[in-house]
Amino acid sequence: AVEEVRKMAQDNSCEKRQRLSASRVTRRDFQALRRGYIRNLKHGNHLDVTLTEERDVLVAMEKFEKEKIEAAKFLAVWGNNDSPDIGDVCEKLSKMSSKLGEIFGSLHSKYGEYRHILKEIKQDEDEVWDLRKKHSDCEDKFKSHSKAGKPIVTIEAEMKTLENDLLKKEADQISEKRKKLKTALMLQFEGWLNFGAKV
């Protein structure tokens, strides 16, 4: 009986270690996936998502502008076929609705300019990322040739050139990003302020 109890305890201990080991593997896998996900986002995927969402905003604005103007026309036609007082009210509301559609058109235009500058910022980030990738590939090639005893003079020169280009591009990009973002936000705020004033 004592031997059976000891065996059961050993089995339980073994099972517990296996579960603990499995949980550790799961945590390690999860951490690796999370780190990989974050690394991918560092290339600017957040800005990609922003641009996609802002495009949807622009489409919605354009749709509202067009449909509001069309709805205003039909409201006026319907009112004119009714009593004079209803026709008068609908005619005035139709003009006001058409004007609202035009105001939305102005906002849509400013918003489009804002998004266009965000696209420029994204293009600048892509260029920096491409240079980083080339520099990283060149470093890997340099290490590989060094280990294999192959000539590295040309690769070393290329690596230094890429490093200098990358440093300059990063410095320019940081400065330009601030300027462009300020311009983009000012355009958006100007559009909303004009929209609010006209409405």
Side-chain angles (χ1 to χ4, degrees), residues 75-90:
L75 179 66
V77 172
W78 173 77
N80 288 330
N81 290 326
D82 210 288
S83 60
D85 59 331
I86 290 179
D88 182 58
V89 170
C90 289

Side-chain angles (χ1 to χ4, degrees), residues 147-199:
K147 288 180 180 179
K150 295 180 180 179
I152 58 173
V153 177
T154 304
I155 301 173
E156 190 174 15
E158 182 185 356
M159 190 166 62
K160 287 181 179 178
T161 300
L162 285 170
E163 186 175 359
N164 291 333
D165 291 345
L166 179 58
L167 288 172
K168 185 179 184 304
K169 190 71 177 177
E170 285 178 333
D172 292 343
Q173 193 252 349
I174 289 171
S175 175
E176 284 299 309
K177 183 189 291 185
R178 289 188 174 93
K179 292 177 183 177
K180 288 182 178 180
L181 182 60
K182 181 180 178 181
T183 301
L185 293 176
M186 290 300 293
L187 282 168
Q188 183 183 168
F189 293 153
E190 182 184 340
W192 282 112
L193 285 172
N194 290 338
F195 176 79
K198 290 177 180 178
V199 169

Side-chain angles (χ1 to χ4, degrees), residues 34-90:
R34 182 173 60 81
R35 284 195 295 269
Y37 175 71
I38 292 171
R39 279 198 299 271
N40 287 334
L41 288 180
K42 285 182 180 178
H43 174 41
N45 287 346
H46 280 142
L47 189 52
D48 279 335
V49 175
T50 301
L51 286 167
T52 300
E53 295 297 327
E54 294 291 21
R55 182 190 62 202
D56 293 343
V57 171
L58 279 169
V59 170
M61 283 182 177
E62 186 177 14
K63 185 178 180 181
F64 177 88
E65 173 194 353
K66 291 179 179 179
E67 294 190 354
K68 191 62 180 173
I69 292 173
E70 285 300 309
K73 292 177 183 178
F74 285 104
L75 179 66
V77 172
W78 173 77
N80 288 330
N81 290 326
D82 210 288
S83 60
D85 59 331
I86 290 179
D88 182 58
V89 170
C90 289

Side-chain angles (χ1 to χ4, degrees), residues 60-137:
M61 283 182 177
E62 186 177 14
K63 185 178 180 181
F64 177 88
E65 173 194 353
K66 291 179 179 179
E67 294 190 354
K68 191 62 180 173
I69 292 173
E70 285 300 309
K73 292 177 183 178
F74 285 104
L75 179 66
V77 172
W78 173 77
N80 288 330
N81 290 326
D82 210 288
S83 60
D85 59 331
I86 290 179
D88 182 58
V89 170
C90 289
E91 183 68 29
K92 290 177 180 177
L93 183 59
S94 174
K95 290 179 181 179
M96 186 176 70
S97 296
S98 294
K99 187 64 178 176
L100 181 61
E102 292 172 7
I103 294 171
F104 245 94
S106 299
L107 175 61
H108 174 268
S109 177
K110 287 289 182 183
Y111 217 89
E113 293 177 45
Y114 150 76
R115 183 177 179 274
H116 179 74
I117 295 177
L118 287 188
K119 285 178 69 177
E120 289 182 358
I121 293 173
K122 179 63 174 63
Q123 288 170 358
D124 292 341
E125 287 188 347
D126 286 344
E127 290 176 6
V128 171
W129 188 88
D130 288 341
L131 268 177
R132 284 175 183 160
K133 182 70 169 59
K134 287 179 181 178
H135 183 260
S136 177
D137 291 345

